[in-house]
Amino acid sequence: MSKDKTNLSRRNALRLIATTAAAVPVIGCSEKAAPKVELKEDKAATKPAVKNLDAPKQTLARGTPTDPDLLNPVVPWEMQLDARELAVLAALCDVIIPADEISPSASSVGAHHYINEYVSAPYSNNKADLVTIRGGVVWLDGESRRRYQGPFVELNESQKNAICEDIKWTRNAKPEFQAGARFFAKVRVLVSTAFYTTEEGMADIGYVGNRPMASFPGAPPEVLKRLGLES
Amino acid sequence: MASEDIENKEYDALIVGSGAGGGMAAYVLATAGLKVLLLEAGRSYDPVKETPMFNLPKDAPLRGGSTPEKPFGFYDATVDGGWQVPGEPYTQGSQEKGRRFDWWRARMLGGRTNHWGRISLRMGEYDFKPYSRDGLGFDWPISYQDLAPYYDKTEMLIGVYGTNEGLENTPDSSDGVLLPPPNPRAYELLAKKACDKLGIPVIPSHLAILSERLDHENIPQKLFPDNKLAQDVTRESMKSRAACFWATPCGRGCSIKANFQSTTVLLPPALATGNLDIITDAMVREVTVDKKGKANGVVYIDKDTRQEKFASARAVVVAASAAETSRILLNSKSTLFPDGIANGSGVVGKYLMDTVGAGVGGQIPALENMPAHNEDGASAMHMYMPWWLYKEQLRGDLNFARGYHIEFGGGRSMPGAGAFGGMGDFTEGAYGKDLKKACRRYYGSFVWFDGRGEMIPNDDSYCEIDKNQVDQWGIPVLKFHWKWSDQELNQAAHMHKTFAEIIEGMGGNVTTTVQTDGAKAIINGGAIIHEVGTARMGSNPKDSVLNPYCQSWEVPNLFLTDGAPFVSNADKNPTLTIMALAWRTCDYIVEQFKKRNI
């Protein structure tokens, strides 16, 4: 949620709660590092070769794929799509999720960049999707030129929609549009994730959580009434 | 501390593993005054410093979604863990469908307690004596009454919310033990209404999350009436824990310590006694024995130097997780124990169990277009359904012998990776403003029901050492053998049928396939991550590894405090029982030290 809707930013609220709870220093998690101990390794191993005692040393994330820095996430792979491909995807993102009176369009919150991040990931599923997306972009531009003599990004709204009508659902798309429909379905899935995981998308559907509160209120009375659950 | 002090340090007890069982052992033994050394195979980890509490999905790679390296998503607290750990393979006895066991591990301080769902259900009277009840499986050598006081103590220590409902084989806690549960969400109440008509009870869930702060003035005194050290460190630890603020997912860990993790609740007070030392990145290979056949320490691999080292103590407590514990025992071969330490019975590795899992999803029109309201809560269910058909089962009216409970979710939770991914098919291809309208309409109207059922131990489900493979630490790996019986398959099919009935009772539509074939409904062995058994306790050394105090029959100073001693695996999630059993075992260890038996 946007920070201006509450007096406390989330992080400050967290800090406040954490400090008031810990009136006493947190045991066993003190900042002091355990003393570094040099060991003589040439002795017979009859005693434990203990190296860091009392408390384990405070190692943090190692920055590997199985142990990334959770507090400071980074995308560790290179992006694969080029500017021209991204421009086509941005235009398609906005056909799938356009701006309306409630929220902005998908491309304005960077949905096409998320698609790039997704298809560039080094995992087998993502690599397969990279082929689908790249091939789909070529097909979409080709189809635009065949029908309207121009690239997809230069088509007007009704021209874009006319193509999308033919590929909007794999189950009833004509055989010649099946590949386009599979491409469209994949983009729709990725755009949905991209858009609804932003503050703008969350606000659009009325997600109002992720804010600290003293007690959990449960279902509000108007909701219970609509469900016929009033006690 | 000067180095010569360390080299001369004599430990009373050495613990392998720092999760639910190892963390509890460290806490109980250190507060009792024993000098304790704990070895953990993974790295050190502190949820207070490392938990991304409020980060949004969009802040993470792939919107926080699942990857091979982070199977529960980027933000899951598990680090260096999963069903596959690089450099630490395991093998399968069969590649046939339904014959695999997928082995989850968490190589980090606190182990799986950093990740678990915090569902804290007590096993009941029937669960300890299943063979006596229906002639299947095996009885435990202890009864519910033996463990009940330790359930109370564990719940008071870790903080569990819930209620006492007096239901059959769903034990009540003693008065004043449980914290009040949070208010239910709308979809939970709607499910309850449907279940009322089906005769299925829906009651507040029991989760190890502080719905309010613990009573640090009085609980330590109740837990340790005669032990001032234990009272002091427990009081300070309890003071440091805040109550839940009903936001942020528990699976990331909890920097305010509202939920239970070994790393915030068990290890800090144990360290505060001054009696506990911890070595991390220490991968234990085997337990060693002296000439008299007593355990005298362990050989471990220091992961930093990749060299074997030795640590000694007067007693050894293994709590490495059930299968890993058996791997260590089976790899501990000597002239006295040629088939592995404590394995004269040949039962080590046998009777491996997981929980039966199957699920069905649905969409509920009544929940469409709801006014915006906050349904975060405890980030897990506030209500659940305990097993209810005990009488029908006993009469033989069902085609499976043991029960399951139902966990369910839904509602207006934070959208993450995959949000509205199914909307294309659900709306027959909507895009544009129609898609946005559909997302608004349907958000919060999807529900999911999961069964968690009892598996009866069988001869075909076990692990052994694979003679042909070692891991990157040079340690022989496990080979798993797995087979569900008709008991589990029929139960899984029953789950699907029940969940469809509940969804329809809510006026909804099932959105996944309801299987009548249990083999198609059931999830892989190991997928529910409730691995227990493989070194069971019993009343006879010939067919069990441990006595009723989780003490090896053959090696009197060797104890197991994880899920390995389990004789059966009730539908109840095992972590609470692992901790209660570990506490009881450690009280016994302290007693044996006092009597100078160890």
Side-chain angles (χ1 to χ4, degrees), chain A residues 1 10-11 14 17-18 20-24 26-31 35 37-41 43 45-62 64-71 73-77 95-100 102-105 109 114 117-118 121 123 126 161 164-165 168-171 184 188-189 192-199 202 204-220 222-224 226-229, chain B residues 1 3 6-7 9-11 37 43-44 46 49-63 67-70 74-76 78-80 86 109 182-186 189-190 193 213 233 236-237 239-242 244-248 255-257 268 271-272 276-281 300 302 304 309-312 366-377 382 412-421 424-425 428-433 435-436 439-440 443:
Chain A
M1 294 307 300
R10 291 189 308 261
R11 283 167 218 279
L14 178 64
I17 288 165
T20 50
V24 177
V26 179
I27 301 163
C29 297
S30 65
E31 296 290 340
V37 177
E38 298 297 328
L39 287 170
K40 296 172 196 151
E41 296 289 355
K43 288 178 74 172
T46 51
K47 293 281 187 277
V50 176
K51 56 186 164 123
N52 56 332
L53 289 159
D54 299 321
K57 63 188 170 186
Q58 291 299 336
T59 51
L60 291 170
R62 286 165 171 154
T64 62
T66 57
D67 187 9
D69 183 347
L70 301 183
L71 297 173
V74 292
V75 177
W77 53 85
V95 176
I96 294 172
I97 297 188
D100 65 5
I102 293 177
S103 63
S105 74
V109 296
Y114 170 70
E117 178 190 319
Y118 186 90
Y123 313 111
N126 305 68
N161 283 337
C164 290
E165 275 301 306
K168 69 176 186 181
W169 198 31
T170 49
R171 288 196 214 172
F184 188 83
R188 178 168 43 209
V189 166
S192 299
T193 281
F195 182 74
Y196 290 106
T197 50
T198 61
E199 285 95 336
M202 291 181 193
D204 179 307
I205 49 170
Y207 172 70
V208 292
N210 206 35
R211 56 172 68 168
M213 50 181 129
S215 65
F216 182 71
E222 70 267 30
V223 169
L224 294 178
R226 281 178 52 165
L227 294 171
L229 290 168
Chain B
M1 202 182 293
S3 62
I6 291 154
E7 289 182 18
K9 203 160 175 177
E10 304 258 345
Y11 290 100
L37 177 65
R43 75 162 168 92
S44 182
D46 180 3
K49 290 180 179 166
E50 296 194 56
T51 304
M53 294 290 273
F54 285 100
N55 292 21
L56 293 174
K58 77 177 173 78
D59 299 328
L62 304 177
R63 289 334 202 223
T67 65
E69 294 106 357
K70 297 280 290 181
F74 180 84
Y75 288 125
D76 178 39
T78 306
V79 298
D80 293 325
L109 196 67
N183 291 316
R185 305 171 178 100
L189 292 170
L190 198 64
K193 190 178 171 188
R213 296 190 64 184
V233 295
E236 296 310 305
S237 175
K239 275 187 191 174
S240 78
R241 298 183 66 192
C244 182
F245 53 41
W246 316 111
T248 83
S255 68
I256 65 167
K257 307 188 189 180
L271 286 164
L276 172 66
D277 294 332
I278 297 176
I279 306 179
T280 51
D281 290 309
Y300 68 94
D302 177 335
D304 287 340
K309 291 188 177 172
F310 176 70
S312 69
L367 292 169
E368 292 171 17
N369 286 319
M370 276 293 158
H373 64 286
N374 187 332
E375 287 200 314
D376 277 1
H382 293 184
R412 309 175 68 86
S413 57
M414 184 192 276
F420 300 105
D425 280 341
E428 305 191 350
Y431 67 96
K433 290 186 180 178
L435 177 62
K436 287 180 98 167
C439 292
R440 281 168 210 144
Y443 172 58

Side-chain angles (χ1 to χ4, degrees), chain B residues 143-276:
Chain B
S143 69
Y144 173 71
Q145 292 310 324
D146 292 317
L147 211 51
Y150 288 97
Y151 276 130
D152 275 349
K153 292 207 288 187
T154 303
E155 288 169 348
M156 278 194 276
L157 174 70
I158 68 176
V160 175
Y161 73 62
T163 53
N164 290 327
E165 301 283 332
L167 294 173
E168 186 174 10
N169 200 40
T170 304
D172 289 348
S173 303
S174 292
D175 286 344
V177 167
L178 296 174
L179 300 170
N183 291 316
R185 305 171 178 100
Y187 71 88
E188 292 174 317
L189 292 170
L190 198 64
K192 182 177 186 326
K193 190 178 171 188
C195 286
D196 285 348
K197 287 181 186 160
L198 294 166
I200 302 171
V202 184
I203 62 174
S205 183
H206 289 220
L207 296 185
I209 297 166
L210 302 189
S211 57
E212 48 189 51
R213 296 190 64 184
L214 288 170
D215 178 3
H216 61 82
E217 298 289 351
N218 294 305
I219 294 174
Q221 174 77 24
K222 286 181 191 164
L223 297 179
F224 302 100
D226 306 313
N227 182 342
K228 189 165 179 312
L229 174 67
Q231 286 177 28
D232 287 348
V233 295
T234 303
R235 186 180 306 113
E236 296 310 305
S237 175
M238 284 183 174
K239 275 187 191 174
S240 78
R241 298 183 66 192
C244 182
F245 53 41
W246 316 111
T248 83
C250 292
R252 297 180 177 193
C254 193
S255 68
I256 65 167
K257 307 188 189 180
N259 75 24
F260 168 83
Q261 295 173 261
S262 175
T263 35
T264 51
V265 178
L266 298 176
L267 297 177
L271 286 164
T273 64
N275 292 329
L276 172 66

Side-chain angles (χ1 to χ4, degrees), chain A residues 147-174:
Chain A
R147 288 197 204 187
Y148 305 111
Q149 294 76 49
F152 187 73
V153 294
E154 288 173 15
L155 304 189
N156 64 36
E157 195 179 333
S158 65
Q159 290 169 330
K160 287 176 186 164
N161 283 337
I163 296 176
C164 290
E165 275 301 306
D166 288 333
I167 57 174
K168 69 176 186 181
W169 198 31
T170 49
R171 288 196 214 172
N172 61 6
K174 288 178 184 163

